[in-house]
Amino acid sequence: MPVRLAIEADLDYWLPEPADILLQLEAAALPDQRLDSRSLTVWSDHPIAATDGDEGMGQRCWARTQYRLMAQYRATVTVDRVAVDIAALPPTPPRALPGAVIPYLLPSRYCQSDRLEGFVRREFGGLSGGAMAQALLEWTRGALIYRSGVSQGDTTALDTFASRMGVCRDYAHLLVSLARAAEIPARCVGAYAPGVEPPDFHAVVELWLDGAWRLVDPTGMARVEEIVRICVGRDATDIAFMTVFGTAFFQAQRVTVHHLDG
């Protein structure tokens, strides 16, 4: 059954010097998530300029300002998506992958999948495809403790593998790395979702299985049927809600997602 969600996001940052800022706040218009209404207001010294998101998903915008950046995003979205039992999906050998999917099989800045191949072989040998993906998802959920303040912007999947704790970004990085180590293409997804604690931008994962990207939440906080995707990328570098080419200081931020029906 379709789910209707209301999304609100407010940013307030202080910039001591002029800087270019890349914002990724807008929910993407996709076959399984319809944008019923949307508005983005950015208080900027210069006109904002829109640009496409990675993989043609969603839209980003450039802003340039000094002293204060404020942004306000409002949207209502209808999500019409059915959760898939990924465990039943067959494997796809690397040689049969579409060209656009291959980069998500390779290590990236925060997802050093090549360093986890031995662990995956030892712990999950004999599994492949959806059965492997489900096992890695369950392992990540069970092995990590969700805890704020224990990771930083430069924390990698290997750091999280060692500490066994972190936030949604860290869960996503670790699952992506484990999946790639198991020859399953995986990418990070910036998203909105109800039920996330504390309320904030959320990071989840898409796994390439049986010819399509399959959405999962390694934290287990959000239901697949209620996730609203913003953008996708190799790791957190590509899906950050705000990238500042300069210096910015946090003043206030608020993200809320709630149901409109029922």
Side-chain angles (χ1 to χ4, degrees), residues 18 27 55 57 71 91 101 103 108-109 113 153 161 167 173 178 196 228 256:
E55 299 292 330
M57 181 181 293
V101 174
S108 59
R109 179 179 178 183
S113 51
F161 182 76
V167 294
H173 279 164
L178 293 170
V196 174
V228 177
T256 63

Side-chain angles (χ1 to χ4, degrees), residues 80-243:
D80 191 359
R81 181 185 307 122
V82 177
V84 174
D85 178 13
I86 64 171
L89 299 177
T92 301
R95 67 182 181 278
L97 293 172
V101 174
I102 292 172
Y104 299 106
L105 190 63
L106 307 175
S108 59
R109 179 179 178 183
Y110 294 110
C111 299
Q112 310 101 313
S113 51
D114 53 324
R115 302 282 297 278
L116 291 169
E117 290 174 359
F119 170 77
V120 169
R121 283 196 297 268
R122 289 193 303 273
E123 296 296 320
F124 304 98
L127 298 177
S128 63
M132 171 68 85
Q134 184 66 39
L136 296 176
L137 175 62
E138 292 175 358
W139 184 90
T140 303
R141 286 179 178 169
L144 301 188
I145 298 171
Y146 194 96
R147 185 170 297 169
S148 300
V150 298
S151 59
Q152 309 298 324
D154 58 355
T155 299
T156 69
L158 288 182
D159 297 326
T160 302
F161 182 76
S163 70
R164 301 297 168 93
M165 61 183 66
V167 294
C168 60
R169 172 188 189 272
D170 305 306
Y171 277 70
H173 279 164
L174 185 52
L175 179 58
V176 163
S177 300
L178 293 170
R180 292 176 185 172
E183 299 183 353
I184 299 172
R187 64 188 187 184
C188 291
V189 182
Y192 294 109
V196 174
E197 291 295 338
D200 205 344
F201 297 101
H202 198 40
V204 293
V205 171
E206 284 185 327
L207 305 172
W208 181 266
L209 294 165
D210 195 27
W213 288 110
R214 313 293 180 174
L215 192 61
V216 297
D217 181 2
T219 72
M221 288 194 289
R223 297 174 62 235
V224 168
E225 302 93 325
E226 298 180 338
I227 294 172
V228 177
R229 287 167 290 176
I230 303 170
C231 54
V232 298
R234 297 161 299 171
D235 52 37
T237 305
D238 298 331
I239 67 168
F241 68 88
M242 184 174 75
T243 302

Side-chain angles (χ1 to χ4, degrees), residues 6-9 192 199-200 254-258:
I7 299 168
E8 298 182 1
Y192 294 109
D200 205 344
R254 182 180 69 92
V255 177
T256 63
V257 183
H258 65 269

Side-chain angles (χ1 to χ4, degrees), residues 5-11 23-28 34-43 48 59 61 70-77 192 201 254 256:
L5 300 170
I7 299 168
E8 298 182 1
D10 297 280
L11 309 181
L23 296 171
Q24 294 194 111
L25 304 176
E26 299 174 83
R34 183 182 73 242
L35 304 185
D36 300 320
S37 68
R38 55 180 173 171
S39 67
L40 174 63
T41 304
V42 180
W43 286 262
I48 63 173
Q59 177 175 276
C61 73
M70 296 178 64
Q72 180 185 85
Y73 178 63
R74 300 288 185 269
T76 57
V77 182
Y192 294 109
F201 297 101
R254 182 180 69 92
T256 63

